[in-house]
Amino acid sequence: MRKKLLFVILWLISFSLSGKIIPDNFQFDIDTLRFFTLKNEKLLFIFNSSEYILSENNIEINKLNPIEGVYYKTLTNRFFENINDSLGNIYFVRRDLGEVFKYENNSFERMDKSSHIKTSKGSFKFFHKGNILSFFGTHENTSSNIILDFNFDSKEWDKITPSSLSEVPYPRSNAFFKNIGDTIHYFGGQTNSHYNDKKTRSLRDYFIFIIPEKVHKKIGDLIPKELFVKSWNGASIEVDNSRSLFFNEKDVILVDFKNFTYQSKSIQSVFGCEHESFNSSLITSTDKKLYYLIDEKLNNEYALKSIDLINIVDQFNNPTLLIDSSTYRVKDLLKIILTAFTIFLACFVAYALFRLNKLKGFKKQNILKQSNYITFNKTIVNLSFEQSSVLDLLIENVKVKLSDFFELPCFLEYSDTYKKIYVPKILKELEFKLQIISKNKGKKVFLEKSKNKFDKRILEYRLKVKILPYKGWFFYIFSF
């Protein structure tokens, strides 16, 4: 171990004399490396007991301050992932959540008061406006769709509850994501959230999460079926505000989140090396260059390599659609539908208010039949069930034969002889109640009895005033 570190130091000094500090064959034992990241646009290697800061014209080698307790073994890339904020601060967060360390002055400073809570294996994390957010993951082999926010004041992880207007995404782990302004685009990954279902299945949905509104919105479904089954945590590079490079065991994938396109190429075709020698979890980049580690001899001794970022992106010149064109335009379609619905709702409310305003005049000017009573203005006259049935038949027809009343359901249980006595009695009672309305209306309301002009033996009845059926204000609004 000491021989290897001595070799690295002597080798770096020799490069510093030649004027080139970031070499393409900087070699080390991968087991001695804790983290590989950027510090103020300089490469930062954190080894077991030292840090190396490399740039084009400078080199710093500092002793790492002691890491106490269990974290001496666990504070590595295997258990923690690196998150840098916009100010250049470096944080290391437990992959399945809990501890948060800030790296400063070649020391790890514990920032949280939480513990190893093991709730978010396979979650994705990022900095947004001073907060560390964690999305989804698994807990005890069950996927979740929980969002957590690390509170730097309380030093604890707080749960973010989505809005009631939000769609509910499938629980998942190992999703692909990109933070664009105040939105998070995420898609794919795996889920095993169903009870009694130990099998994992891949997801093909594409969502955005609007951070200020706390709303999930589904955009569409992925066209490729196998490529986005599982992301490799930390294995992504921001190309610009709309594009990212993702790495898995064998492939490099460029995703354009603005145009919803993607293209995949093999690691061998992009970097010129076999995928077995390429470490896709240890990659970083500046604005111009991408730096990666390679084990050419497959003996666990890695060398630092670099390539211009533009040279990688230029290889992806034949993108295809990531999601179905009919689904990713649903956002625009929803806007059209929402606008149309808003206009319709405004018209409906205006019409309803207009009809309700008319209802007062309608009740003052008309005799209304509602259920088992008749009304005019503020006068209410109750009717028996038989009287109500007789009046309904009179309202529906201009003239009604006496024999037609006999066929009403309310009289079916009576004999024909009794009907001849009882039905005329009901008609007289109804006429009396109509006279009560007449006194308040100022106009005579009565039943007219006459003989059929073709058969004088047949008696007919008709209302001498218009009575309207009324089923309440709701039906009045929608009557035309």
Side-chain angles (χ1 to χ4, degrees):
M1 172 65 186
R2 290 182 178 178
K3 289 182 179 179
K4 288 180 180 178
L5 289 178
L6 181 61
F7 167 76
V8 169
I9 294 170
L10 293 175
W11 187 78
L12 286 171
I13 292 174
S14 68
F15 266 91
S16 67
L17 294 175
S18 66
K20 184 179 180 182
I21 301 304
I22 300 182
D24 279 345
N25 54 353
F26 170 45
Q27 295 180 336
F28 55 87
D29 189 331
I30 195 68
D31 292 334
T32 67
L33 181 66
R34 291 182 183 273
F35 298 104
F36 171 46
T37 184
L38 287 181
K39 182 178 182 179
N40 299 323
E41 293 299 302
K42 298 177 183 179
L43 291 181
L44 173 63
F45 289 83
I46 303 176
F47 291 98
N48 281 340
S49 57
S50 59
E51 70 168 17
Y52 290 73
I53 303 174
L54 281 67
S55 68
E56 293 294 338
N57 53 18
N58 189 32
I59 178 174
E60 290 183 42
I61 304 175
N62 300 309
K63 184 178 180 181
L64 191 69
N65 288 330
I67 304 172
E68 298 179 358
V70 296
Y71 296 108
Y72 180 79
K73 291 185 177 180
T74 60
L75 200 50
T76 66
N77 178 70
R78 179 181 175 186
F79 301 103
F80 286 79
E81 58 185 289
N82 168 222
I83 301 174
N84 291 15
D85 67 12
S86 59
L87 300 177
N89 296 312
I90 304 171
Y91 295 87
F92 295 100
V93 182
R94 175 79 72 169
R95 289 191 180 275
D96 51 2
L97 227 56
E99 303 95 317
V100 178
F101 288 86
K102 182 178 182 180
Y103 187 77
E104 194 172 33
N105 299 324
N106 53 296
S107 298
F108 291 95
E109 178 187 357
R110 181 79 179 269
M111 301 298 295
D112 66 292
K113 292 182 179 178
S114 62
S115 59
H116 187 183
I117 53 181
K118 300 181 182 180
T119 61
S120 302
K121 183 179 179 181
S123 64
F124 60 83
K125 309 171 186 68
F126 57 93
F127 245 99
H128 180 264
K129 294 184 177 179
N131 297 316
I132 300 176
L133 301 180
S134 173
F135 278 66
F136 311 148
T138 60
H139 175 58
E140 297 181 351
N141 297 320
T142 301
S143 303
S144 77
N145 54 14
I146 294 174
I147 305 173
L148 297 172
D149 174 10
F150 181 70
N151 188 317
F152 278 91
D153 293 326
S154 67
K155 300 184 182 299
E156 297 282 357
W157 291 93
D158 299 326
K159 184 178 178 180
I160 294 177
T161 303
S163 163
S164 59
L165 301 176
S166 175
E167 295 183 61
V168 181
Y170 274 111
R172 72 191 67 212
S173 60
N174 299 301
F176 294 78
F177 81 98
K178 185 175 179 66
N179 177 204
I180 304 175
D182 284 336
T183 62
I184 303 300
H185 292 239
Y186 65 89
F187 58 87
Q190 298 174 310
T191 187
N192 62 346
S193 61
H194 296 287
Y195 294 107
N196 301 321
D197 183 6
K198 295 182 179 180
K199 296 181 180 179
T200 59
R201 61 187 182 92
S202 58
L203 296 172
R204 296 181 56 205
D205 49 9
Y206 187 115
F207 273 82
I208 63 171
F209 180 76
I210 305 171
I211 298 175
E213 299 175 16
K214 300 179 183 179
V215 169
H216 294 276
K217 288 186 177 180
K218 185 176 179 180
I219 302 301
D221 293 304
L222 300 177
I223 294 176
K225 294 183 178 180
E226 304 297 334
L227 192 60
F228 297 103
V229 170
K230 181 180 180 181
S231 73
W232 289 48
N233 285 343
S236 66
I237 293 294
E238 301 280 325
V239 174
D240 51 37
N241 289 334
S242 62
R243 295 179 296 174
S244 287
L245 286 167
F246 294 94
F247 299 80
N248 60 29
E249 187 179 10
K250 297 181 180 180
D251 304 299
V252 185
I253 311 161
L254 179 66
V255 176
D256 186 332
F257 290 84
K258 180 180 179 180
N259 297 308
F260 300 104
T261 60
Y262 81 100
Q263 187 176 353
S264 173
K265 284 184 170 292
S266 68
I267 286 175
Q268 198 281 331
S269 66
V270 175
F271 295 98
C273 63
E274 297 299 326
H275 70 270
E276 291 89 353
S277 63
F278 186 90
N279 193 323
S280 59
S281 64
L282 292 170
I283 307 169
T284 190
S285 71
T286 61
D287 291 339
K288 295 182 180 180
K289 278 187 176 289
L290 183 144
Y291 297 92
Y292 61 100
L293 305 179
I294 186 170
D295 180 11
E296 292 180 318
K297 296 181 181 180
L298 300 179
N299 61 356
N300 222 32
E301 292 186 1
Y302 278 76
L304 171 67
K305 298 289 183 179
S306 67
I307 183 173
D308 288 340
L309 198 56
I310 189 66
N311 290 342
I312 297 178
V313 175
D314 284 348
Q315 296 181 51
F316 294 84
N317 51 18
N318 189 28
T320 58
L321 282 177
L322 177 65
I323 57 179
D324 193 325
S325 60
S326 62
T327 61
Y328 80 75
R329 297 190 186 277
V330 73
K331 183 178 179 181
D332 296 330
L333 180 59
L334 285 174
K335 286 183 178 179
I336 295 172
I337 293 173
L338 182 60
T339 301
F341 177 75
T342 303
I343 294 172
F344 169 77
L345 186 61
C347 293
F348 169 77
V349 171
Y351 173 75
L353 292 174
F354 171 76
R355 292 287 289 175
L356 283 173
N357 186 55
K358 287 281 188 180
L359 182 57
K360 293 181 180 179
F362 176 76
K363 287 185 174 181
K364 288 181 179 180
Q365 297 172 9
N366 297 282
I367 302 173
L368 304 178
K369 164 70 167 59
Q370 182 176 6
S371 188
N372 288 337
Y373 55 90
I374 50 178
T375 66
F376 175 69
N377 203 354
K378 295 182 180 180
T379 303
I380 301 175
V381 177
N382 292 318
L383 302 174
S384 67
F385 177 65
E386 290 89 348
Q387 293 166 359
S388 178
S389 300
V390 167
L391 184 57
D392 286 338
L393 190 60
L394 287 166
I395 292 172
E396 292 171 3
N397 300 274
V398 177
K399 285 187 177 182
V400 181
K401 297 176 183 178
L402 180 61
S403 59
D404 291 338
F405 291 117
F406 294 171
E407 303 302 321
L408 287 172
C410 60
F411 300 124
L412 290 179
E413 63 182 35
Y414 302 124
S415 65
D416 292 340
T417 303
Y418 187 71
K419 287 179 185 177
K420 293 178 181 179
I421 300 171
Y422 188 57
V423 172
K425 178 184 176 184
I426 294 297
L427 286 167
K428 286 183 179 181
E429 291 174 353
L430 177 61
E431 186 173 13
F432 172 75
K433 291 188 176 181
L434 290 176
Q435 290 174 2
I436 298 174
I437 296 294
S438 295
K439 295 177 182 178
N440 291 279
K441 186 172 176 58
K443 183 177 179 180
K444 195 171 183 180
V445 180
F446 62 91
L447 284 174
E448 181 184 68
K449 182 172 69 173
S450 61
K451 293 182 179 180
N452 186 281
K453 62 181 179 180
F454 299 108
D455 188 344
K456 302 300 180 181
R457 295 172 298 173
I458 298 174
L459 291 177
E460 294 178 333
Y461 290 82
R462 70 167 180 165
L463 285 170
K464 289 292 289 182
V465 72
K466 188 175 183 181
I467 299 178
L468 299 176
Y470 178 69
K471 297 181 180 180
W473 65 269
F474 184 81
F475 287 93
Y476 172 78
I477 288 175
F478 292 101
S479 62
F480 297 95

